[in-house]
Amino acid sequence: MFTRNATEALNVVAQAWGRANIRAGDLIVVTQMEHHSNLVPWQMVASATGAELAYVPIDDEGVLDLDALDGLLARSPKVLAVAHVSNVLGTVNPIAEIVERAHAAGTTVVVDGAQAAPHMPLDVGALGADFYAWTGHKAYGPTGVGVLHGRRELLEEMPPLLGGGHMIAKVGLLESTWAEPPAKFEAGTMPVAEAIGLGAAVEWLGRIGMDAVWEHSRDVVGYAIERLSEVPGLTLYGPRDLSIHGAAVSFALEGIHPHDVAEILGRQGVCVRAGHHCAQPLMRRLGVGATSRASFAIHSTREDVDRLVEGLGPVQEVFA
């Protein structure tokens, strides 16, 4: 179904499926690396229903502790919310394996795929997740459009989140019946222009080939990790194993706030993002208030990495 973004897609699951299925005393499991979009909605559900919220921890390399996950799954949680790829650490989680473990425990799995869909080959059916969300603007499409994939039997059982036009089968004086999914969850005027734009972006990525997109990022991200590791006083966050590292690389310079790093780099025409990246619990786990993050994609080159590394010199000179 189409939504405004991945955030709305995840909220549809939490508020429509979650409110209908989660009760007081149930367990909701999230991970320490979640973006707020796959955390805050579940906090809201827990608060409204009296359910318990528990976290799967990460190790010092930024990798999920799957033994701890198994311990939580032994308690038969109602739902597990997990990122396919961390927007901070770049960690690629083994979603198919996680889904298999969770389903064996009778747990529904909700995946935030915003950082995965634009960068790697993706077969939602093969992953087996019950819900999978991603967004258009991270995949070279327009803002204002996201996508939610859901298991049909769950979508048929879920109540709609919004009521109005387009999502009904019949409206009576006292009650209404709903259209079949996905229309059931797409109340009001559709994001027609946005969906067409997203379709064009998906077709463009398809012509390049997602295997080629992924392999290109292996080269650029691997080079970035190599070059950044040589910078004195720089700390890298996330796994060094390229097979489980996505397209985002987060770092911090000793004694320099990430916002200052981003500001001075920006003056040199090098754009990075600085802040908590909508992942404040993860920042606390890392022991920092913020990081700087360089994001790479099919248009990025090794020369871009060189400019980033060269730009860090003037940053350190200012604060020397």
Side-chain angles (χ1 to χ4, degrees):
M1 70 190 69
F2 287 118
T3 60
R4 288 184 304 155
N5 42 47
T7 298
E8 184 175 72
L10 293 165
N11 272 271
V12 168
V13 179
Q15 301 303 326
W17 179 88
R19 296 290 184 100
N21 289 277
I22 295 174
R23 300 288 181 267
D26 286 342
L27 179 62
I28 298 170
V29 176
V30 298
T31 82
Q32 282 187 324
M33 67 174 65
E34 292 312 303
H35 188 283
H36 294 165
S37 295
N38 207 23
L39 170 57
V40 174
W42 299 110
Q43 291 178 336
M44 296 167 68
V45 171
S47 176
T49 62
E52 177 188 352
L53 192 67
Y55 287 77
V56 182
I58 61 172
D59 64 20
D60 291 339
E61 288 290 311
V63 177
L64 281 181
D65 184 340
L66 295 184
D67 290 335
L69 170 63
D70 285 340
L72 289 168
L73 290 175
R75 298 173 56 191
S76 298
K78 205 73 170 182
V79 63
L80 167 64
V82 56
H84 195 163
V85 180
S86 167
N87 72 307
V88 176
L89 303 166
T91 308
V92 180
N93 290 315
I95 293 300
E97 178 185 350
I98 289 171
V99 168
E100 184 177 359
R101 295 185 187 201
H103 282 175
T107 300
T108 298
V109 183
V110 182
V111 179
D112 173 3
Q115 296 288 333
H119 299 291
M120 58 198 302
L122 184 61
D123 185 334
V124 174
L127 290 176
D130 300 286
F131 298 98
Y132 193 101
W134 56 285
T135 193
H137 74 273
K138 293 186 186 298
Y140 297 96
T143 58
V145 63
V147 179
L148 176 64
H149 304 263
R151 260 203 302 133
R152 175 164 290 277
E153 56 267 34
L154 296 182
L155 296 177
E156 289 173 345
E157 295 169 359
M158 284 166 55
L161 181 62
L162 300 175
H166 184 72
M167 47 74 67
I168 53 88
K170 182 178 181 181
V171 175
L173 293 177
L174 299 178
E175 62 183 10
S176 300
T177 55
W178 317 130
E180 291 295 312
K184 175 182 177 181
F185 301 97
E186 296 175 333
T189 303
M190 294 289 292
V192 178
E194 292 85 351
I196 292 171
L198 178 57
V202 169
E203 289 175 0
W204 179 74
L205 283 169
R207 287 195 296 272
I208 296 170
M210 293 310 297
D211 287 318
V213 172
W214 178 246
E215 288 306 315
H216 176 76
S217 73
R218 300 306 80 214
D219 177 68
V220 177
V221 172
Y223 184 63
I225 292 173
E226 177 186 332
R227 289 295 318 276
L228 289 169
S229 298
E230 300 169 352
V231 177
L234 186 145
T235 299
L236 278 171
Y237 300 99
R240 302 299 179 92
D241 181 353
L242 269 182
S243 69
I244 57 169
H245 200 299
V249 179
S250 288
F251 62 92
L253 286 177
E254 184 179 2
I256 308 175
H257 196 283
H259 288 160
D260 292 322
V261 174
E263 168 65 21
I264 298 171
L265 283 174
R267 296 175 190 175
Q268 303 172 70
V270 178
C271 295
V272 298
R273 182 174 177 182
H276 55 65
H277 311 296
C278 296
Q280 289 180 321
L282 175 56
M283 293 294 113
R284 287 191 287 273
R285 167 62 179 86
L286 298 176
V288 298
T291 69
S292 298
R293 185 187 69 192
S295 299
F296 302 100
I298 191 63
H299 56 272
S300 305
T301 66
R302 286 191 170 212
E303 289 71 24
D304 293 330
V305 175
D306 291 335
R307 288 191 62 191
L308 167 62
V309 173
E310 291 162 5
L312 293 175
V315 175
Q316 291 175 312
E317 290 171 7
V318 169
F319 291 91

